[in-house]
Amino acid sequence: MSLADLLKKRVELYWAHLKTNDPFNRALLNGTATQAMANHFLVNVRYLVQQTPIHLRKATAKAEKNGEEKLAKFFKLKCREEQGHDRWADSDIAKVNQRRIIESNSEIDPSMKGLVKHIESIIDYDPVHYLAYIFFAEYLCVVAGFEMAEAWEKKCGFPPNSMSVISNHAELDQHHVHEWVDITRDLLDEDKYKAPLLETVEETIKVHQQFYQSCWQGKSHAA
């Protein structure tokens, strides 16, 4: 099985786990997510999206320093694609909080700061490993994003198109998924990197789950 197929399978298992075992995602999918939880989610996702171009520039520089020109070119292209996506989250936050049931909180949760530091550590260690994170993030948006956005509006009752930071990424990223088999084969030695990159995804999942846990804790701030 190719590295891309193994990564896809792991992300699919992660989403299945979240739907069954994660309180925030269960609340979202069954329609009981609160405005406080929604605001917490969006504010922190906006912060993460704001970091993406920074991370891609960092990964580009590191790849260039390592003499990995193909990898650097890939990151440069990604960086151009990711510009301005935080504005989707700006719009989402304004829509979710338009009723002012709660006071909007713009504080970044320690769990999200931890995820950002985790991503930075991946790049510092080896920019090739950052490919595993990018695939994880893109494919999770694809397998989860449309379902989350539909429940967000139809079950939780949040305003239309107020999870666009997720649904727009899902729409864009679904076209990238089919390219990943060729991308991984072109940019790295799969025999060498298969096990290490799968381990990077496992480590990322552990950190990523902590953010969802913080979203569930946001329920305590509901009116």
Side-chain angles (χ1 to χ4, degrees), residues 1-35:
M1 187 177 292
S2 70
L3 174 59
D5 287 334
L6 288 170
L7 291 170
K8 284 176 64 177
K9 183 177 180 180
R10 184 63 187 94
V11 174
E12 290 164 1
L13 288 172
Y14 179 47
W15 175 231
H17 166 80
L18 290 172
K19 293 198 311 184
T20 303
N21 298 294
D22 176 69
F24 169 70
N25 280 286
R26 287 206 315 266
L28 172 58
L29 295 174
N30 68 27
T32 58
T34 66
Q35 184 182 347

Side-chain angles (χ1 to χ4, degrees), residues 89-148:
D90 289 339
S91 174
D92 295 341
I93 292 166
K95 289 176 183 177
V96 164
N97 291 302
Q98 64 188 2
R99 291 181 294 164
R100 297 293 180 187
I101 295 174
I102 63 162
E103 200 65 37
S104 178
N105 185 354
S106 60
E107 183 177 351
I108 306 305
D109 193 82
S111 63
M112 179 53 72
K113 292 180 180 179
L115 178 58
V116 167
K117 287 182 179 179
H118 169 72
I119 297 166
E120 291 169 350
S121 71
I122 290 172
I123 298 168
D124 286 336
Y125 176 71
D126 184 345
V128 173
H129 285 238
Y130 187 42
L131 287 173
Y133 172 78
I134 293 173
F135 184 92
F136 165 81
E138 288 193 350
Y139 194 52
L140 185 60
C141 269
V142 172
V143 298
F146 296 115
E147 189 173 358
M148 292 176 73

Side-chain angles (χ1 to χ4, degrees), residues 7 16 27 72 78-79 104 113 121 133 150 156 175 180 183 194:
L7 291 170
K78 280 289 181 186
C79 192
S104 178
K113 292 180 180 179
S121 71
Y133 172 78
E150 182 177 19
C156 298
H175 303 296
W180 273 96
I183 288 170
K194 186 177 289 186

